[in-house]
Amino acid sequence: GAGVSQSPRYKVAKRGQDVALRCDPISGHVSLFWYQQALGQGPEFLTYFQNEAQLDKSGLPSDRFFAERPEGSVSTLKIQRTQQEDSAVYLCASSLAAGGNTEAFFGQGTRLTVV
Amino acid sequence: AQRVTQPEKLLSVFKGAPVELKCNYSYSGSPELFWYVQYSRQRLQLLLRHISRESIKGFTADLNKGETSFHLKKPFAQEEDSAMYYCALRASGTYKYIFGTGTRLKVLA
């Protein structure tokens, strides 16, 4: 495919609204990552999937954040009851192998603005 | 704790001048270090990784464990090098990248 695809590219949500962000990884990639990038900061790790298994969710900032990858391909990051501090670019990345030994390819991100 | 520090938010140089983007890290084990680049309106992409010891687009970076640094260098900057550069660390045996805050490089004509 053309690379990691994320949708929507931009999302404006009212405070308290639920949002769902989608990531289509490169076909066949085993590993999938979500990162959060606040304005002026570097990306920060949120969660990691190996196929459909969520092996690490240590970076999720609160229980309002939930991610899934039910069939080991497309992943969705859901944020419930959005708050202004959730405003950021959410990046998805995938890599071919399990673990961290192969290059991670990033999507273009979803810019979430909570008003 | 693992940390990556990029002390410069913005670095401006003239075309043809040498460039050095600084990166320091803190990690007690053997890290893997990377430089990622983001050109305007494009996605984050890998520029180089220390274990491959290669030069990409004229850029090189040497891991200095004594100084815990991984500075990115290029002898002659080009206008197309203007971009956001992120240094990243990955602890050996893990998959998480720890990113710095980034340095915006502007190459002036």
Side-chain angles (χ1 to χ4, degrees):
Chain A
V4 178
S5 177
Q6 293 187 245
S7 60
R9 291 289 313 280
Y10 303 92
K11 176 70 179 176
V12 178
K14 290 186 177 179
R15 193 158 56 105
Q17 188 178 356
D18 297 349
V19 298
L21 312 180
R22 178 187 168 106
C23 172
D24 281 84
I26 295 172
S27 178
H29 277 199
V30 168
S31 294
L32 186 143
F33 309 80
W34 283 98
Y35 283 81
Q36 179 191 57
Q37 186 173 17
L39 190 64
Q41 302 297 313
E44 291 195 6
F45 173 82
L46 293 177
T47 187
Y48 167 69
F49 288 87
Q50 184 175 305
N51 294 309
E52 68 278 4
Q54 188 175 22
L55 298 188
D56 188 337
K57 52 182 181 179
S58 63
L60 296 178
S62 78
D63 58 8
R64 295 186 296 104
F65 286 71
F66 171 77
E68 60 182 3
R69 192 186 186 198
E71 297 179 359
S73 178
V74 171
S75 177
T76 304
L77 177 66
K78 297 179 179 177
I79 309 173
Q80 297 178 319
R81 304 181 303 281
T82 52
Q83 303 294 314
Q84 283 193 314
E85 62 262 29
D86 300 335
S87 295
V89 175
Y90 290 85
L91 296 170
C92 176
S94 70
S95 65
L96 181 62
N101 291 328
T102 53
E103 180 180 347
F105 294 86
F106 283 81
Q108 290 190 295
T110 294
R111 182 179 296 278
L112 172 65
T113 303
V114 181
V115 297
Chain B
Q2 299 157 25
R3 182 178 297 166
V4 175
T5 302
Q6 293 180 253
E8 302 140 329
K9 277 198 172 299
L10 173 65
L11 183 63
S12 296
V13 301
F14 285 102
K15 177 181 171 181
V19 173
E20 183 178 55
L21 300 172
K22 291 186 171 21
C23 172
N24 288 87
Y25 67 90
S26 65
Y27 175 58
S28 56
S30 293
E32 293 181 64
L33 274 298
F34 305 81
W35 277 98
Y36 273 81
V37 61
Q38 188 168 26
Y39 300 102
S40 179
R41 295 189 178 83
Q42 294 189 26
R43 62 191 67 198
L44 200 59
Q45 57 186 283
L46 179 66
L47 180 62
L48 53 81
R49 53 197 301 181
H50 89 272
I51 60 173
S52 60
R53 300 188 63 82
E54 54 190 347
S55 172
I56 304 292
K57 299 185 178 182
F59 285 98
T60 59
D62 289 318
L63 177 60
N64 185 322
K65 290 187 178 180
E67 295 182 359
T68 59
S69 68
F70 188 57
H71 303 326
L72 184 68
K73 300 177 184 179
K74 184 169 182 175
F76 308 104
Q78 303 298 315
E79 287 180 77
E80 55 265 30
D81 296 329
S82 295
M84 195 74 184
Y85 291 80
Y86 293 95
C87 182
L89 173 154
R90 191 169 64 200
S92 69
T94 73
Y95 41 76
K96 279 187 218 183
Y97 289 100
I98 309 295
F99 285 89
T101 52
T103 298
R104 181 170 298 283
L105 174 64
K106 284 190 177 178
V107 181
L108 309 171

